[in-house]
């Protein structure tokens, strides 16, 4: 899950808000492209993956699910490995806060953008829909305490849950989400994806519904244009959990994904820990 979502994020980062001509020319999975304006190295992931690491590490380390511990995680994963790709305001906020306590004191969690949704995928590992919703809502409120920000996050976490626990065919994903989270999740997304959280989630669901393989899924996410690193992060996380989607991401995208202290090898180890957490829950679940 983490490896795939990081590949989606890093690949999408080269195309974020790029013009459609550039996308048509280069969206062929041959390599990570250099973004025409941003200073992000090809193959480097962005805020989507880094914040997902905070959630995943909190889950596997079994810290108490309370605001201070989670805020501390957000600060810790950023400060140990700062990187471009964050929204400017949040980047500066993370730079200037010392710790989780100051984070909680000074954050203004009024955004309905995609920040809480882009990091929500691992939460689908929890064994019941209610628990996924509860834990995801909780993490979302720390930074995105708005109906739009929370609903997008809950939908993103239930997407992985739906596939991990085999709750139905992927064609029914949107209808399933509509039963549990306010939003028009089964309506197809069209056109460029803007920054509100529900938009990235709806685009990701649309791409999942239309794709039978991870390669096609990744290309479909980028083709929308707009905030496509987030669309690809959410979609590839869910796609990696689906039996109906061929796991065919090109090996060169895996091999050229960043591999610093928190890169490919680290993601792979953390993925293994998430998988064993899933197995623990599944053995109790059946
Ligand atoms: Mg990003």
């Amino acid at each position: 899950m983490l490896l795939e979502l990081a590949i989606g994020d890093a690949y999408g980062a080269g195309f974020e808000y790029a013009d459609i001509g550039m996308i048509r020319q280069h969206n062929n999975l041959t390599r990570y492209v250099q973004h025409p304006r941003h200073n992000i190295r090809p193959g480097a992931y962005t805020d989507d993956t880094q914040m997902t690491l905070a959630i995943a590490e909190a889950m596997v380390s079994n810290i108490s699910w309370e605001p201070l511990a989670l805020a501390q995680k957000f600060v810790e994963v950023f400060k140990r490995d700062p990187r471009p790709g964050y929204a400017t305001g949040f980047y500066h906020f993370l730079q200037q806060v010392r710790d989780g306590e100051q984070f909680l004191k000074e954050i203004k969690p009024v955004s309905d953008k995609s920040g809480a949704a882009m990091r929500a995928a691992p939460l689908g590992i929890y064994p019941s829909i209610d628990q996924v919703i509860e834990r995801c809502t909780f993490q979302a409120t720390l930074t995105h305490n708005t109906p739009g920000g929370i609903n997008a996050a809950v939908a993103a976490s239930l997407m992985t849950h739906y596939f991990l626990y085999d709750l139905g065919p992927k064609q029914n994903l949107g209808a399933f989400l509509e039963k549990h989270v306010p939003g028009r999740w089964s309506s197809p997304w069209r056109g460029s994806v803007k920054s509100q959280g529900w938009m990235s989630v709806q685009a990701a669901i649309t791409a999942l519904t239309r794709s039978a393989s991870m390669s096609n899924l990744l290309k479909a996410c980028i083709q929308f244009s707009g905030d496509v690193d987030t669309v690809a992060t959410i979609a590839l996380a869910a796609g990696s959990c689906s039996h109906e989607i061929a796991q065919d991401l090109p090996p060169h995208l895996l091999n050229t994904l960043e591999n610093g202290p928190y890169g490919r090898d680290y993601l792979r180890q953390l993925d293994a820990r998430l998988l064993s957490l899933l197995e623990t829950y599944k053995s109790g679940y059946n």
Side-chain angles (χ1 to χ4, degrees):
M1 177 194 288
L2 298 175
L3 267 179
E4 289 88 350
L5 73 82
I7 289 172
D9 178 13
Y11 184 77
F15 298 100
E16 190 188 25
Y17 293 104
D19 69 65
I20 195 75
M22 182 277 195
I23 290 176
R24 288 209 183 101
Q25 196 181 347
H26 295 292
N27 180 24
N28 50 27
L29 308 189
T30 51
R31 62 194 170 90
Y32 293 106
V33 302
Q34 175 67 54
H35 191 280
R37 300 180 303 276
H38 298 167
N39 186 22
I40 297 172
R41 206 165 32 82
Y45 62 70
T46 73
D47 54 342
D48 306 68
T49 302
Q50 187 164 67
M51 294 216 76
T52 305
L53 290 184
I55 296 291
E57 290 176 21
M59 289 172 67
V60 300
S61 62
N62 228 347
I63 60 169
S64 63
W65 207 252
E66 48 92 26
L68 186 59
L70 215 46
Q72 188 61 43
K73 260 290 167 201
F74 290 152
V75 176
E76 178 197 322
V77 297
F78 174 79
K79 291 208 181 282
R80 74 188 185 193
D81 186 25
R83 58 184 53 234
Y86 281 83
T88 317
F90 194 50
Y91 184 87
H92 292 309
F93 174 75
L94 286 170
Q95 262 187 327
Q96 60 93 20
V97 295
R98 284 181 313 274
D99 53 22
E101 200 175 328
Q102 193 185 0
F103 180 104
L104 290 177
K105 208 179 289 170
E106 296 181 11
I107 186 90
K108 293 181 182 67
V110 294
S111 170
D112 65 353
K113 294 187 176 165
S114 57
M118 66 170 69
R119 62 181 186 239
L123 294 154
I125 287 172
Y126 287 120
S128 73
I129 291 169
D130 286 346
Q131 197 176 1
V132 174
I133 292 174
E134 184 203 327
R135 298 243 162 165
C136 186
T137 300
F138 178 83
Q139 68 83 16
T141 57
L142 292 191
T143 54
H144 293 70
N145 196 5
T146 60
I150 293 169
N151 291 338
V154 170
S157 62
L158 285 177
M159 285 164 70
T160 56
H161 184 80
Y162 182 79
F163 292 127
L164 289 169
Y165 288 88
D166 276 322
L167 300 184
K170 75 180 170 70
Q171 292 307 323
N172 295 352
L173 174 63
F176 163 79
L177 294 172
E178 284 175 0
K179 271 196 261 170
H180 299 284
V181 201
R184 297 175 59 212
W185 307 115
S186 57
S187 302
W189 177 266
R190 280 190 194 84
S192 181
V193 181
K194 298 187 180 63
S195 61
Q196 282 176 295
W198 68 269
M199 298 173 171
S200 285
V201 175
Q202 194 174 312
I205 296 163
T206 304
L208 278 160
T209 307
R210 292 176 184 164
S211 306
S213 69
M214 290 290 272
S215 292
N216 284 337
L217 177 60
L218 181 50
K219 283 189 280 189
C221 290
I222 306 309
Q223 247 163 350
F224 287 118
S225 77
D227 194 2
V228 292
D229 59 329
T230 297
V231 178
T233 300
I234 294 169
L236 266 66
S240 74
C241 305
S242 168
H243 303 306
E244 286 178 83
I245 294 186
Q247 301 300 311
D248 68 341
L249 284 174
H252 60 266
L253 290 184
L254 179 63
N255 296 333
T256 52
L257 183 68
E258 66 168 281
N259 199 22
Y262 301 99
R264 187 173 67 238
D265 295 342
Y266 184 81
L267 295 168
R268 195 178 269 134
Q269 286 165 21
L270 192 53
D271 255 336
R273 295 177 70 191
L274 285 177
L275 187 64
S276 65
L277 191 63
L278 175 69
E279 295 306 328
T280 310
Y281 289 134
K282 278 195 165 175
S283 57
Y285 180 75
N286 290 318

